[in-house]
């Protein structure tokens, strides 16, 4: 699904999901906060906010008639939902807890619609209302920092570096200097408007890059291309965030699923 052009600077992507009851659900680590509208086979719908996730989670499949997910770019969730994004981290929160009656009215309108297109248009109108006038002088700084930390770079240092990625720490320090801000200011900005520290943000983005490119190259090549010290460094970081090794995940050997938050 394609978002309206005026919202593209604020939205990563829009996905229409129709989960099957048998297939397990895998929620990847994600630095984005998402607004999700779900509808069951019985026609009951709900709106929830899915905060940024530092680790993957695995769940049994569920019978849903429809699930429209709007993932917001770094910095958008703070003005949309009105709370520090760190308060949403690793949580699923009913939108009514944040918007009150406004969310209840929106949910009622969505429940009366049958097609995904009109549902998305109503969600987008609600997002535009929240973003109207939401201009923060720090937005440009955040966008530039997020873009820099989302791209890969050559690794530095020896192959004995820790699995948390000392190269990431070096990149954050260098980035703060380039942007003429302190590391503390950069950390506070990310915590408030992204929900993660810059280092955690970079780790999540790097693992997502590995996942997106898995199968296109060897693990050793991916490690070199995405800034890890070596393949073992990639495997350790992948396991820390995904709960399984890269080979196990690729082969479909996933951890046991737990029920989704409601």
């Amino acid at each position: 699904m394609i978002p309206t052009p005026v919202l593209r600077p604020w939205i990563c992507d829009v996905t229409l999901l129709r989960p099957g009851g048998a297939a397990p659900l895998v929620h990847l680590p994600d630095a984005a906060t998402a607004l999700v509208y779900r509808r069951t086979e019985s026609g009951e719908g709900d709106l929830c906010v899915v905060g940024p996730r530092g680790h993957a989670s695995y769940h049994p499949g569920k019978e849903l008639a429809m699930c429209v997910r709007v993932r917001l770019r770094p910095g958008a969730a703070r003005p949309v939902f009105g709370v520090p994004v760190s308060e949403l981290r690793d949580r699923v929160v009913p939108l009514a807890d944040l918007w009150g009656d406004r969310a209840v009215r929106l949910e009622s309108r969505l429940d009366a619609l049958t097609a995904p297109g009109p549902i998305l248009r109503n969600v987008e109108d609600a997002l535009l209302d929240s973003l109207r006038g939401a201009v923060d002088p720090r937005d440009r700084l955040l966008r530039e920092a997020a873009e820099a930390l989302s791209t890969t770079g050559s690794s530095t240092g020896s192959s004995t570096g820790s699995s948390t990625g000392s190269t990431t720490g070096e990149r954050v320090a260098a980035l703060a200097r380039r942007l003429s801000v302190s590391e503390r200011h950069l950390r506070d900005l990310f915590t408030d408007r992204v929900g993660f520290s810059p280092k955690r943000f970079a780790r999540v983005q790097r693992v997502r890059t590995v996942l997106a490119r898995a199968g296109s190259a060897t693990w050793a090549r991916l490690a070199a291309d995405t800034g890890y010290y070596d393949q073992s460094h990639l495997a350790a970081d992948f396991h820390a965030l995904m709960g399984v090794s890269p080979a196990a995940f690729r082969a479909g050997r996933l951890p046991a699923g737990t029920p989704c938050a409601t």
Side-chain angles (χ1 to χ4, degrees), residues 17 69 196 216:
L17 306 171
R69 181 185 67 188
F196 289 144
S216 65

Side-chain angles (χ1 to χ4, degrees), residues 30-34 49-54 85 88-93 196:
D30 197 351
T33 297
V49 178
V50 180
R53 293 186 298 272
V85 184
L88 304 173
R89 186 174 55 226
D90 296 316
R91 297 178 62 201
V92 178
V93 180
F196 289 144

Side-chain angles (χ1 to χ4, degrees), residues 132-196:
R132 191 168 287 116
V135 178
D136 189 304
R138 299 173 299 174
D139 285 342
R140 182 175 179 179
L141 172 65
L142 180 63
R143 284 195 298 270
E144 186 174 350
E147 182 178 353
L149 293 173
S150 296
T151 58
T152 60
S154 59
S155 61
T156 59
S158 71
S159 61
T160 59
S162 85
S163 63
T164 58
S166 59
T167 54
T168 301
E170 292 162 6
R171 289 177 61 200
V172 171
L175 177 61
R177 289 193 296 271
R178 179 164 68 81
L179 297 175
S180 301
V181 297
S182 67
E183 286 189 65
R184 178 176 180 177
H185 178 77
L186 196 60
R187 182 177 65 250
D188 291 346
L189 181 62
F190 267 76
T191 300
D192 180 66
R193 301 181 72 84
V194 178
F196 289 144

Side-chain angles (χ1 to χ4, degrees), residues 1-2 11 13-19 34-39 46-50 64-71 110 113-124 127:
M1 302 179 73
I2 302 175
I11 293 178
D13 55 64
V14 178
T15 308
L16 172 62
L17 306 171
R18 296 186 184 274
L35 178 58
V36 178
Y37 174 71
R38 305 177 293 188
R39 181 180 293 171
D46 72 343
L47 277 163
C48 61
V49 178
V50 180
L64 290 178
M66 183 188 305
C67 181
V68 177
R69 181 185 67 188
V70 180
R71 294 174 65 245
L110 300 184
L113 300 172
T114 57
I119 287 173
L120 175 59
R121 297 288 89 80
N122 273 265
V123 170
E124 288 182 332
L127 291 175

